[in-house]
C-alpha cells in the first residue's frame, strides 16, 4: 500500500469584495441631513439641486428624491426651479420639544431608579465622551453624546413605546443642541456639570432629586429661547 501525501496548494488570495455604496438618493439624504443637523447648512440657506449633485457626485434625480424626503421631515422647504430652503428652528418648535422632553424625561428618570449597574457605567462613559468632545471643540459630537445621555435614561425606564416616542425627537434635539452651543459656548461646561449632578442622583437612588435635576437642566433651553441669561 502506497502512502498518499497531500501537499498544500498555495493559492492567491481572493480579492476583497468592493464595498457597496448606498443608493444615490440615500447618500444625498444623509449628506444634507447631517449638514443641517450640525449647522454646516444653517437655517435660511438656499440649496440648489446642481450644487448638491456636484457635492455628492450624483445626478439631479436622486437629489430631488432626497429633498422631498427631507421636506416631509420638516427640515427643508422646496421652491420649484429655485431650490430648497433650510428651515430655521422656531421658538415654538423649541418650546414644544422642551415640553415633551420634560414630560418624558421626568417620568423616565424616576422609573430608572434604582438604577442597574450597567446604566451607571454607560452614563459615566457618555459623560466622559462629552467631556472629550468638548475639549476637542467638536460641537456636533458633543450634541450627540449629550442626547445619548438622556436617551439612555429613557431606554432604561422600561417603557418601549415611550422610548420610541423619544427617539422621534432625535433630529430636533441634535439640531437644537448644536444651535444652543453656538449661541452660548459656556453652556457646554454647564451641561456637563448638570449631567454629573443627574448621574449622582441616579447613583444615589434618589429619583425625586434626579427629576429635579432634569427640570433645572431643561429650563435653560427655555431661557435661551427667550433671549434671557442667568
Amino acid at each position: 500500500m502506497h502512502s498518499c501525501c497531500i501537499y498544500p496548494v498555495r493559492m492567491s488570495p481572493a480579492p476583497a469584495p468592493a464595498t457597496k455604496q448606498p443608493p444615490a438618493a440615500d447618500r444625498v439624504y444623509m449628506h444634507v441631513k447631517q449638514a443641517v443637523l450640525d449647522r454646516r447648512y444653517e437655517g435660511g440657506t438656499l440649496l440648489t439641486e446642481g450644487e448638491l449633485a456636484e457635492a455628492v457626485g450624483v445626478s439631479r434625480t436622486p437629489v430631488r428624491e432626497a429633498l422631498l424626503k427631507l421636506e416631509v421631515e420638516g427640515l427643508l422647504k422646496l421652491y420649484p426651479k429655485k431650490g430648497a430652503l433650510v428651515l430655521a428652528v422656531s421658538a415654538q418648535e423649541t418650546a414644544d420639544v422642551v415640553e415633551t422632553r420634560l414630560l418624558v424625561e421626568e417620568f423616565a428618570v424616576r422609573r430608572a431608579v434604582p438604577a442597574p449597574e450597567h446604566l451607571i457605567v454607560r452614563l459615566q462613559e457618555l459623560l466622559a465622551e462629552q467631556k472629550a468632545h468638548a475639549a476637542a471643540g467638536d460641537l456636533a459630537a458633543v450634541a450627540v453624546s449629550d442626547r445619548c445621555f438622556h436617551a439612555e435614561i429613557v431606554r432604561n425606564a422600561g417603557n418601549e413605546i415611550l422610548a420610541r416616542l423619544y427617539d422621534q425627537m432625535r433630529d430636533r434635539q441634535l439640531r437644537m443642541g448644536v444651535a444652543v452651543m453656538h449661541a452660548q459656548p459656556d453652556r457646554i461646561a454647564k451641561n456637563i456639570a448638570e449631567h454629573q449632578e443627574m448621574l449622582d442622583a441616579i447613583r444615589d437612588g434618589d429619583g425625586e432629586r434626579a427629576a429635579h435635576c432634569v427640570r433645572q437642566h431643561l429650563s435653560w433651553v427655555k431661557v435661551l429661547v427667550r433671549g434671557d441669561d442667568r
Side-chain angles (χ1 to χ4, degrees), residues 8-201:
V9 179
R10 187 179 298 276
M11 301 181 66
S12 300
T19 303
K20 187 177 181 181
Q21 281 194 320
D26 289 351
R27 299 204 306 274
V28 177
Y29 170 83
M30 291 307 302
H31 168 81
V32 176
K33 185 170 186 174
Q34 191 59 52
V36 170
L37 293 182
D38 63 24
R39 287 173 60 90
R40 282 180 287 124
Y41 294 156
E42 295 193 33
T45 302
L46 184 66
L47 307 174
T48 67
E49 290 181 2
E51 290 170 342
L52 293 175
E54 184 178 352
V56 184
V58 298
S59 67
R60 293 193 179 196
T61 300
V63 171
R64 295 188 192 102
E65 183 180 337
L67 294 181
L68 284 169
K69 185 176 180 181
L70 290 163
E71 183 179 44
V72 171
E73 294 182 7
L75 295 178
L76 307 175
K77 173 66 176 177
L78 298 185
Y79 292 94
K81 298 182 180 180
K82 292 183 180 180
L85 183 70
V86 179
L87 297 177
V89 179
S90 69
Q92 184 60 54
E93 181 183 5
T94 301
D96 290 347
V97 169
V98 172
E99 187 174 73
T100 305
R101 286 188 62 186
L102 276 169
L103 290 170
V104 173
E105 292 188 37
E106 281 194 61
F107 170 83
V109 80
R110 289 189 179 98
R111 284 284 298 270
V113 173
E117 182 61 25
H118 70 83
L119 174 58
I120 301 298
V121 171
R122 182 59 182 147
L123 293 179
Q124 289 172 330
E125 291 172 349
L126 289 168
L127 192 55
E129 286 179 18
Q130 191 176 0
K131 291 175 182 177
H133 294 318
D138 189 342
L139 299 188
V142 172
V144 170
S145 57
D146 184 316
R147 194 264 169 193
C148 286
F149 183 93
H150 293 272
E152 195 67 34
I153 296 170
V154 175
R155 276 195 292 270
N156 278 270
N159 187 318
E160 292 184 7
I161 295 176
L162 203 64
R164 287 198 294 270
L165 170 64
Y166 191 80
D167 282 342
Q168 290 174 9
M169 295 191 295
R170 174 186 177 275
D171 293 344
R172 289 185 171 90
Q173 284 179 253
L174 292 177
R175 195 176 179 202
M176 292 174 188
V178 175
V180 166
M181 286 184 285
H182 274 283
Q184 298 281 341
D186 64 329
R187 187 62 211 161
I188 299 173
K190 293 175 181 176
N191 277 351
I192 291 172
E194 289 169 5
H195 282 172
Q196 184 64 63
E197 292 173 0
M198 205 179 304
L199 173 55
D200 291 342

